[in-house]
Amino acid sequence: QVQLVESGGGSVQAGGSLRLSCAASGDIISGYSLAWFRQAPGKEREGVAIISRYGPTSYADSVKGRFTISQDNAKKTLYLQMNSLKPEDTAMYYCAARHGPWTWFSYQYDSWGQGTQVTVSS
């Protein structure tokens, strides 16, 4: 199993950028499907971006064209580059990993980080 620790969250004005990082320890991540989810207060957790263990990526419609998910297997780190941030992007962001095919269903992920807060002000 892999252990995950997120970092890079913070407060930013609308239109700004942040890069989230998710450092993995334990097992290597190259055989895992990885994802970023987020949860705003009073809302359900939602998928933001996923990356297949074979490389393809997919994004939620709400972030498409603004966010980019990537991974560095040598550094065992997952990234989420977030540009043109909007107030509605405000949430706790979580990275997740599963040793299997990629999926948008959060319950299918085996490992989760503790989350990093992103706050976007207008």
Side-chain angles (χ1 to χ4, degrees), residues 11-95:
S11 297
V12 64
Q13 289 192 326
S17 298
L18 284 173
R19 188 176 80 156
L20 305 184
S21 298
C22 174
S25 61
D27 204 352
I28 59 173
I29 64 171
S30 61
Y32 283 75
S33 296
L34 305 167
W36 287 98
F37 288 81
R38 66 186 181 187
Q39 188 166 19
K43 294 188 176 182
E44 293 187 355
R45 188 169 295 188
E46 63 173 353
V48 174
I50 57 175
I51 184 166
S52 164
R53 52 188 173 173
Y54 302 116
T57 59
S58 184
Y59 298 89
D61 287 343
S62 59
V63 307
K64 202 171 293 183
R66 300 189 297 122
F67 290 11
T68 303
I69 187 172
S70 63
Q71 66 183 93
D72 184 330
N73 289 335
K75 295 183 179 179
K76 295 170 63 175
T77 303
L78 176 70
Y79 301 101
L80 185 67
Q81 178 66 44
M82 305 186 296
N83 299 328
S84 302
L85 282 161
K86 304 175 180 180
E88 51 263 44
D89 295 319
T90 295
M92 185 72 77
Y93 283 71
Y94 300 89
C95 62

